Amino acid sequence: MNYPRVRARLLASEPVPGVTEAFGNLDGLLLREGTHWVVTRNDGAITIGRVDSDPSGVITDRATWTDPAPHTPGTYCSPLPGGAMAISGRETVTVYEADGTLRWEHRHRDWQHSPEASGACTADPSGRVLLATMAGPLGTDGLSGGDVCRALDLATGDVLGEHVLPSRAAAYEFQAFPDARPEVLLTASMGQDGTLCLLITSTAAGIDVRATGTVTEACVGVGPEGALVVQDIGGGYLTRTQDGTDDVLLEAGRVLPEDWVFVGYTPGFLDDKRIMVVAAEEQWAEEGTHLLLDGRTLGPLAEIDYPQAPGVAAVPLGDGTWLTHDGETVQRWTTA
C-alpha cells in the first residue's frame, strides 16, 4: 500500500491475564460513562478494569468477583456506578455490589433451543436504570414474539418498563457513546439473519427503541455525535453512518491490495477526526496492517509503522491512543 507511514510510539504495556480471550468476547471491551473498560475471565474470577485516563498507563481500578458460572458460555458483564457489576446469563440478570455481595437477581425465560443467543446489560446514562435484553415470553402458539429489553431499577431490580425487540434469539451487545447522549447502542446479531443496530433510551414512560442508519453488521465502533463506523463481517467494506447525514461506504478493493480485506472486528474512532481499522490478506490472518482513515470521508490517511509486526486487534480509545495485545500483555500506543 502506497500510503504515508506514521510511526507508532509505545506509551505503556502491562500484563492482563485473560485478555486474549476478552478481545474476542462481546463484553471484553466496553464503553461506559465515557470510559473504556476491559472485562477478563481467568481462574474462576471475573475482573473488570478501567482503561487509565492517563495515557502513560494501561489498566487501573481493577475489581474482581467470583465467576458465578465459570463454565457457562454467553454470560455478559458490565461495570456499574459505584463499583458494582451486572451479569446477564441465560436465565437471570444479577447485580453484585463492589464487595461481591448480591444486590438483587431478576429471573427470566431461558432461550430454549437457541444456544447461540445471549443477553446483555448496561446502566443507562442516568445511572438509575439497568437495561437488559432477554428472551421474551412465548405466545399461545408456543413461539416467541421477539426478545425483550427490560428497564430494571438499578437499586431494587423492579421492572420499570419493557419493549419487545424486532429480533429473536440474538447475541446482544450494549455500547455507550463517548459524549453525553441519552441513548445507548444495542447490536443484535442473529447469525444468517443479519444484525440490527438499535438506539435504546429509558424514559419515564418506559423504553424507546429505534433503528439507526442502515447498519446490518455486528462490528461497530461508536464515535462522537452518534456516529458509527461499521465493518462488514466478511471484511469487504466499511460504512460510516450517522443520523442526519448520508452513509459513507468504503469498499476494501478500492483502498487495499487485491484480495485483502478488513479484519480484527474492532473498527473505531481514534479521535474526532480519525478512524482506525486493520487489514490483512485473509480474514483469519494473525498479523495485520493498521490504517488511519478520515473520520468523515473514510479516505485513507496513513499506515501505522510498528517496531514489530502487529496482530489484528487494535482498539482505538477516542483520545488519540489505542490498545493492542501481544499474548497476555496489553500495549498502549499513540502516533509519533
Side-chain angles (χ1 to χ4, degrees):
M1 285 178 282
N2 190 26
Y3 299 126
R5 300 178 71 90
V6 296
R7 186 168 60 87
R9 178 166 61 92
L10 183 64
L11 296 173
S13 63
E14 183 178 331
V16 181
V19 74
T20 301
E21 178 185 358
F23 274 28
N25 292 338
L26 292 176
D27 65 354
L29 296 156
L30 301 174
L31 182 58
R32 301 287 189 268
E33 301 178 83
T35 300
H36 289 82
W37 303 78
V38 175
V39 179
T40 58
R41 295 166 173 83
N42 190 57
D43 291 337
I46 297 169
T47 299
I48 300 180
R50 181 172 58 85
V51 175
D52 202 331
S53 59
D54 184 342
S56 65
V58 180
I59 307 295
T60 187
D61 295 339
R62 284 185 174 89
T64 299
W65 293 264
T66 300
D67 190 341
H71 306 297
T72 302
T75 59
Y76 184 102
C77 301
S78 185
L80 299 176
M85 175 187 69
I87 299 181
S88 173
R90 292 194 64 83
E91 297 181 78
T92 60
V93 176
T94 311
V95 170
Y96 292 93
E97 304 289 0
D99 63 4
T101 58
L102 176 67
R103 181 185 298 180
W104 53 257
E105 179 182 81
H106 175 81
R107 301 194 66 82
H108 58 84
R109 188 179 69 82
D110 189 7
W111 275 284
Q112 295 172 329
H113 314 299
S114 302
E116 301 302 318
S118 59
C121 54
T122 184
D124 82 327
S126 75
R128 297 187 296 271
V129 174
L130 184 75
L131 297 169
T133 57
M134 58 195 70
L138 299 178
T140 56
D141 57 1
L143 301 176
S144 172
D147 298 334
V148 299
C149 180
R150 283 184 184 151
L152 305 172
D153 187 292
L154 199 49
T156 65
D158 293 340
V159 178
L160 303 177
E162 177 178 299
H163 191 101
V164 178
L165 300 170
S167 47
R168 294 179 178 86
Y172 291 95
E173 177 184 4
F174 276 111
Q175 291 291 0
F177 287 90
D179 44 5
R181 303 179 67 82
E183 66 267 13
V184 294
L185 177 71
L186 174 67
T187 57
S189 178
M190 299 176 289
Q192 294 182 345
D193 292 328
T195 296
L196 299 176
C197 274
L198 307 167
L199 293 175
I200 310 293
T201 307
S202 175
T203 69
I207 299 175
D208 179 67
V209 178
R210 63 184 179 91
T212 179
T214 57
V215 175
T216 57
E217 305 291 348
C219 309
V220 181
V222 296
E225 301 177 348
L228 307 175
V229 56
V230 186
Q231 180 178 313
D232 165 40
I233 295 294
Y237 62 87
L238 297 170
T239 306
R240 184 194 187 278
T241 185
Q242 183 178 6
D243 285 353
T245 66
D246 293 335
D247 288 353
V248 179
L249 177 71
L250 177 67
E251 295 179 353
R254 288 178 49 203
V255 296
L256 302 179
E258 185 176 1
D259 296 329
W260 277 45
V261 291
F262 297 112
V263 298
Y265 303 134
T266 55
F269 288 79
L270 182 62
D271 51 33
D272 290 354
K273 297 181 179 179
R274 297 177 295 174
I275 286 170
M276 174 172 278
V277 295
V278 183
E281 295 183 68
E282 59 182 2
Q283 192 65 241
W284 308 114
E286 295 184 359
E287 296 180 356
T289 297
H290 297 193
L291 297 174
L292 296 180
L293 310 177
D294 185 277
R296 291 195 175 272
T297 68
L298 299 186
L301 299 176
E303 177 181 337
I304 303 295
D305 189 9
Y306 289 89
Q308 62 187 42
V312 296
V315 183
L317 301 175
D319 63 352
T321 72
W322 70 94
L323 302 179
T324 65
H325 74 97
D326 182 3
E328 298 288 84
T329 297
V330 177
Q331 300 161 321
R332 189 169 188 171
W333 306 84
T334 191
T335 51

